[in-house]
Amino acid sequence: MAIFRDRIRGYRCHRLIAAVVISCMVISVFLLVPLTSLDSKSSDVRQVKYGHRFTYKTWLDHLCPRSQIRDAQAQQLRLKWEAPSVKTIFFMQTSCADALTAREACAVESFAQHHPDRPILLLMTSFTMNHTNPIMQTLLQLPNFRAAYLDLDVVFSEEPLRTWHTDRNWLIVERKAGMMLSDASRSEILRRFGGTYTDLDAIALRPLPNGTNWLAEFYDGRVTAALSSFLPGHNLFQRVVDAIPRAFNPYACCSIGPDLVTAEMRHLCPDAFSSIVANDLQESAMCSDITVLPIGNFYPINYEMGPRGFSQLLRSGTGQEFLKSTKAHSLHLFSSLTAKDLLYLGGGSILEEVAKKYCPKVFKAQRSISAVM
């Protein structure tokens, strides 16, 4: 029995020694892997596709994970960044789609129609534009229309937004990332390059006001740059851009949009601005060197009316009366409230009559595809 016990102890000892040796071998293998190699795989992985070099961890991978240059043809059709000029009317599309909806395209055509002597620029976060889409083909026929790549690394290449962008703060609430990027991009582009910006859910009813350095009253004592025109380097947007990192609230819809623009207007001219927003503006007013246009100029259907108020956009038989009575420069559709509401063509609603008159090419193209807009 003693001999048997000694053999068992020896067997256990051999197993223990073997386990220790194997563990040391495994640890030594990991220690021999160069740290630089691990770093290159984790934080700076790069690849080359069809001559284009990019990082896996780019903003595009976060915002538009499905956007890839899949073939040589896509590479050839890739959009390039283009900055607006003071004369440019520009839109931004931050949803990563490679084509506009009919309503968005209607907005573009309407501004192109009313401003034939001004460049109309669509900035898209998509690498490419869908040239086979009938709606996009229609826009490409407009002589003053161009599409370009909204390269956020270029837009946010200067501080303080460079760090804010690099840290991907706009991605904290993923479903709101496009909206946050749109608010920040608009302010930075206006600050650096100037121009006239308009949302993609605003249809032009007549030419925009003359001059520059203007924006509009929104609602509830606020102003908005959702349709605005400024010279580059204006103090308002310098202040807005400087404030974005500290004012940014990823859970609030308007923290770096109308809320921030309104707050900075109050700082620029507290007495004049308080008087402006306290009154129901019927005419334009001055705040510092900024013209504040009344809410009716761009928002003939008030946002405060909510979804029920905007239902009149689709109500049959209301379009002709609206066109006769309105003096607004544009009709804002507020897509956050109305995007899911389908317009069945043929009823003579406000949206249909406005589209027929001010974006006739897009309207015709959409009608050839579907009875719904």
Side-chain angles (χ1 to χ4, degrees), residues 80-85 88 119 121 123 146-151 189:
K80 293 180 173 57
W81 158 254
E82 179 180 338
S85 67
T88 303
L121 179 64
L123 295 171
R146 292 193 305 277
Y149 180 43
L150 181 59
D151 190 339
I189 289 173

Side-chain angles (χ1 to χ4, degrees), residues 41-232:
K41 290 181 180 179
S42 63
S43 62
D44 193 29
V45 178
R46 296 182 182 274
Q47 62 177 345
V48 177
K49 283 190 176 182
Y50 308 112
H52 176 63
R53 184 175 175 88
F54 62 96
T55 309
Y56 282 117
K57 297 295 184 181
T58 64
W59 65 264
L60 191 67
D61 298 310
H62 291 128
L63 182 67
C64 314
R66 297 181 181 179
S67 292
Q68 300 293 338
I69 302 178
R70 294 185 176 87
D71 51 41
Q73 182 181 11
Q75 171 68 19
Q76 293 172 359
L77 296 174
R78 184 186 171 191
L79 298 172
K80 293 180 173 57
W81 158 254
E82 179 180 338
S85 67
V86 174
K87 196 175 180 182
T88 303
I89 298 174
F90 69 97
F91 304 81
M92 292 188 303
Q93 203 260 39
T94 56
S95 70
C96 306
D98 61 2
L100 299 183
T101 66
R103 295 185 191 183
E104 291 171 335
C106 180
V108 174
E109 183 187 350
S110 69
F111 279 90
Q113 181 187 99
H114 285 297
H115 307 89
D117 59 334
R118 297 184 66 176
I120 305 296
L121 179 64
L122 171 65
L123 295 171
M124 306 173 69
T125 49
S126 173
F127 262 131
T128 59
M129 182 174 64
N130 186 348
H131 287 71
T132 64
N133 182 288
I135 298 298
M136 300 310 293
Q137 289 177 343
T138 301
L139 289 183
L140 289 169
Q141 296 172 8
L142 303 175
N144 55 337
F145 169 78
R146 292 193 305 277
Y149 180 43
L150 181 59
D151 190 339
L152 297 181
D153 285 337
V154 175
V155 174
F156 299 130
S157 60
E158 299 180 6
E159 293 292 3
L161 294 187
R162 181 177 179 178
T163 299
W164 180 83
H165 168 59
T166 303
D167 291 343
R168 305 290 185 260
N169 286 327
W170 44 264
L171 198 64
I172 293 173
V173 179
E174 191 170 351
R175 62 186 173 84
K176 294 184 178 181
M179 178 181 67
M180 297 299 181
L181 283 171
S182 181
D183 286 341
S185 299
R186 171 182 61 216
S187 294
E188 180 67 342
I189 289 173
L190 286 171
R191 182 190 75 86
R192 290 177 61 186
F193 308 107
T196 299
Y197 170 81
T198 174
D199 282 348
L200 273 170
D201 55 358
I203 300 175
L205 306 179
R206 50 180 46 87
L208 291 170
N210 294 324
T212 189
N213 294 347
W214 55 258
L215 43 63
E217 187 181 10
F218 186 29
Y219 81 101
D220 193 26
R222 293 189 289 178
V223 293
T224 177
L227 212 161
S228 56
S229 184
F230 279 84
L231 294 172

Side-chain angles (χ1 to χ4, degrees), residues 99-106 109 133-139 342-345 351-352 355-356 359-373:
L100 299 183
T101 66
R103 295 185 191 183
E104 291 171 335
C106 180
E109 183 187 350
N133 182 288
I135 298 298
M136 300 310 293
Q137 289 177 343
T138 301
L139 289 183
L342 298 179
L343 169 64
Y344 293 90
L345 303 177
L351 181 53
E352 179 175 357
K356 284 166 65 175
C359 61
K361 293 182 174 64
V362 168
F363 182 82
K364 182 179 178 181
Q366 179 63 17
R367 196 161 196 172
S368 69
I369 301 168
S370 170
V372 176
M373 183 174 181

